[in-house]
Amino acid sequence: MFTPKIPPPDAAPTPATSLVQPLTGITHTPACTCHHSPSVAPAPAPTPAAPVSRPAVHLTPGSLLVAAAGGTAMVLIIGTVLVSMLLATAITAASVAICAVVLRSLLNRPHNR
């Protein structure tokens, strides 16, 4: 299920059957103006043989238990962090509101007397 689906080598497109034809007959100007002989391009690396199929992942009851415990721990930790961030935001908002009320009462008091 988790292994990649690679087409077998006989079904892979070849340059003759490819939808995109390679460019031929295009020459590029050299990058430098020095007059040295062009070097021979290195041969391309050989293509590896077809990949060996890997066995599917086998989950034992013990590994399932460890995965479930790890997932539960992650959910609890992330939930705790998010709730604490929300609580910090709520406390900050409440303290700013209290400061605004106190400042408003201090600034309006001289006008009442």
Side-chain angles (χ1 to χ4, degrees):
M1 182 170 96
F2 296 108
T3 58
K5 304 293 187 253
I6 300 174
D10 59 343
T14 61
T17 62
S18 176
L19 296 177
V20 179
Q21 296 298 325
L23 298 175
T24 57
I26 297 176
T27 58
H28 296 285
T29 57
C32 63
T33 58
C34 57
H35 301 288
H36 57 80
S37 62
S39 63
V40 177
T47 58
V52 178
S53 63
R54 296 180 185 170
V57 177
H58 298 288
L59 295 176
T60 61
S63 63
L64 285 175
L65 184 64
V66 169
T72 304
M74 290 291 282
V75 166
L76 290 176
I77 290 170
I78 292 172
T80 303
V81 169
L82 292 177
V83 167
S84 64
M85 288 171 54
L86 180 64
L87 184 62
T89 304
I91 291 172
T92 303
S95 64
V96 167
I98 291 172
C99 289
V101 168
V102 169
L103 283 174
R104 184 176 176 189
S105 67
L106 288 175
L107 292 175
N108 285 338
R109 184 169 290 157
H111 299 293
N112 291 341
R113 289 185 182 180

